Amino acid sequence: MSPPGNGPMVPILGFLTCVAFLYLSFGDLWFDYNREAELGFVSRNGTQFVLDGKPLYVNGWNSYWFMDHAVNDHSRHRVGAMLEAGSKMGLTVCRTWAFNDGGYNALQISPGRFDERVFKALDHVIAEAKTHGVRLLLSLVNNLQNYGGKTQYVNWAWQEGVGLSSSNDSFFFDPSIRRYFKNYLTVLLTRKNSITGIEYRNDPTIFAWELINEPRCLTDISGDTLQDWINEMTAFIKSIDKKHLLTVGLEGFYGPKSPKRLTVNPERWASELGSDFVRNSESPNIDFASVHIYPDHWFHDQGFEENLKFAVKWMQSHMEDGDKELKKPVLFTEFGLSNMNKDYEPSQRDRFYRAIFDVVYKSAKRKRSGAGTLVWQFLIQGMEGFNDEFGIVPWEKDSIQRLMKEQSCRLGRVTGRLLQDKKSTEICSNKQ
């Protein structure tokens, strides 16, 4: 038995003194390290995205199916496998759905009712993206009927006896439906991730929000109805989340009052969809413009060479708008070449991708508004039911993998990001 006294306290006090000395000497370094290890939010400066003080030009892809496949144990691994493959190609952003309204594996079962099991699947997608160093562009609703879309909201209002019209376009003007959508936005943006503990609105893994996929309002081709909805909903989102970038989700068509409707739009119908690229993107709460590139779907009498020329002209026109009118980045959030075209040959995809990547690379070299591209779409093996005429399993196409890596590397070099990113340096030193 030790005698009473202060003997045992001496080594304890010595130890505490040593810890205090180390903290005072090196504590700032420890905290600096942790700050550097955390992801930063992507912002914008004029026509460029900015991350950690340097310009960011995006090379990424679409995998709309992430949340749906993360719900079930047997398919959840596909999310991590796809994110890992994207990361190994140096890809920085993946666009995916953060909605599923009604139907199978619905996130929103009915207005204001959510399936926690599906919400946890979205939590998993965001946590996995962070693990692989990939950011997410999360789309909030579909103009199309897939995964519910605006049709489901209209049906809900009709079923509850509060709908003003059975038209799908009432999604944009019906007060009850607007309330449904705002409630969904509030729940989603303030969701606390069950894995990371971070609210979505505070998570820099999320690159940006996309208001709606490919909005059209055919019942008002003037564009006023859609424009009012965009202004209202973007202001609402920014009232909850001021940290993330926000885009509309446009295809890029010019409206009936735009002079470019005659010189750039694919055909006359494109100006009669109730949307307008410049007007919609000018909305004060929109941080960057979005454009899709599908000439083989928009024209019915053109061959590959004509479609290729149109794609380049289409991109250059929207970059001109970004530089001169919008003063905002322009992100080409979907592009692809259908393998169902009559004159299709596999080598055409390589040429199509290369031409589009070249436009963005030249934009990056000149510090212009062409801010990047997202391929539609990447999948993994065994997903035939989710494939379409544009889908690619990237590791089955060596030429596509090489093109994707090369684009990542040259964008990294021209922006100076390659020098500060060890992972990118490794990818680009072994890109062949």
Side-chain angles (χ1 to χ4, degrees), residues 31-208:
F31 282 110
D32 284 344
Y33 171 80
N34 278 270
R35 277 197 295 267
E36 291 172 3
E38 292 179 356
L39 287 174
F41 283 90
V42 176
S43 60
R44 78 170 176 97
N45 181 16
T47 60
Q48 291 182 310
F49 294 130
V50 176
L51 176 62
D52 300 330
K54 290 183 179 293
L56 173 68
Y57 284 81
V58 171
N59 188 29
W61 82 100
N62 284 267
S63 286
Y64 74 91
W65 44 269
F66 274 179
M67 182 175 70
D68 190 30
H69 281 247
V71 174
N72 299 311
D73 292 340
H74 71 273
S75 56
R76 189 173 299 124
H77 71 278
R78 292 171 177 166
V79 176
M82 189 67 256
L83 286 164
E84 182 179 1
S87 179
K88 287 181 177 178
M89 289 184 282
L91 308 186
T92 50
V93 174
C94 176
R95 177 171 173 260
T96 192
W97 296 169
F99 62 83
N100 189 358
D101 302 303
Y104 179 70
N105 279 345
L107 174 62
Q108 187 174 202
I109 303 167
S110 60
R113 288 184 60 232
F114 296 84
D115 189 333
E116 180 62 17
R117 182 179 59 104
V118 183
F119 242 139
K120 285 183 176 179
L122 186 54
D123 293 344
H124 173 80
V125 170
I126 296 171
E128 277 290 297
K130 181 178 181 180
T131 298
H132 293 285
V134 174
R135 286 176 170 80
L136 299 173
L137 173 55
L138 295 180
S139 190
L140 300 172
V141 71
N142 207 352
N143 187 77
L144 309 173
Q145 292 186 23
N146 306 72
Y147 292 83
K150 66 182 186 183
T151 299
Q152 181 61 71
Y153 279 89
V154 173
N155 289 341
W156 282 333
W158 201 247
Q159 290 163 8
E160 293 185 3
V162 296
L164 295 179
S165 167
S166 60
S167 166
N168 285 351
D169 286 345
S170 65
F171 174 83
F172 297 117
F173 61 78
D174 189 314
S176 296
I177 296 173
R178 289 190 183 202
R179 284 195 297 272
Y180 292 165
F181 190 57
K182 285 181 177 179
N183 181 68
Y184 157 76
L185 292 173
T186 301
V187 173
L188 185 80
L189 296 174
T190 60
R191 165 75 177 183
K192 185 176 182 180
N193 192 306
S194 60
I195 299 171
T196 67
I198 303 172
E199 287 189 358
Y200 287 5
R201 61 179 170 179
N202 295 324
D203 194 338
T205 309
I206 297 169
F207 169 78

Side-chain angles (χ1 to χ4, degrees), residues 417-430:
R417 309 197 65 83
L418 190 61
L419 299 175
Q420 67 181 34
D421 187 337
K422 182 179 179 182
K423 182 184 78 172
S424 296
T425 302
E426 291 175 353
I427 291 169
C428 297
S429 63
N430 299 294

Side-chain angles (χ1 to χ4, degrees), residues 26 75 79 109 156 188 231 252 256 273 288 338 343 351 376 380 410 430:
F26 303 105
S75 56
V79 176
I109 303 167
W156 282 333
L188 185 80
N231 290 340
L273 303 175
F288 66 95
S338 172
D343 63 345
R351 288 185 59 201
W376 182 276
I380 69 169
R410 60 181 184 167
N430 299 294

Side-chain angles (χ1 to χ4, degrees), residues 293-297 334-341 349 352-353 375-379 387-393:
I293 312 171
Y294 291 114
D296 52 0
H297 267 208
E334 286 188 27
F335 77 91
L337 185 73
S338 172
N339 61 13
M340 300 295 289
N341 296 332
R349 267 197 179 148
F352 192 75
Y353 280 37
V375 174
W376 182 276
Q377 61 159 324
F378 282 169
L379 310 98
N387 202 350
D388 56 20
E389 64 216 73
F390 302 97
I392 294 173
V393 178

Side-chain angles (χ1 to χ4, degrees), residues 216-232:
R216 298 181 178 186
C217 185
L218 301 180
T219 55
D220 181 9
I221 64 172
S222 76
D224 292 344
T225 298
L226 179 59
Q227 187 64 36
D228 289 345
W229 181 83
I230 289 171
N231 290 340
E232 180 179 342

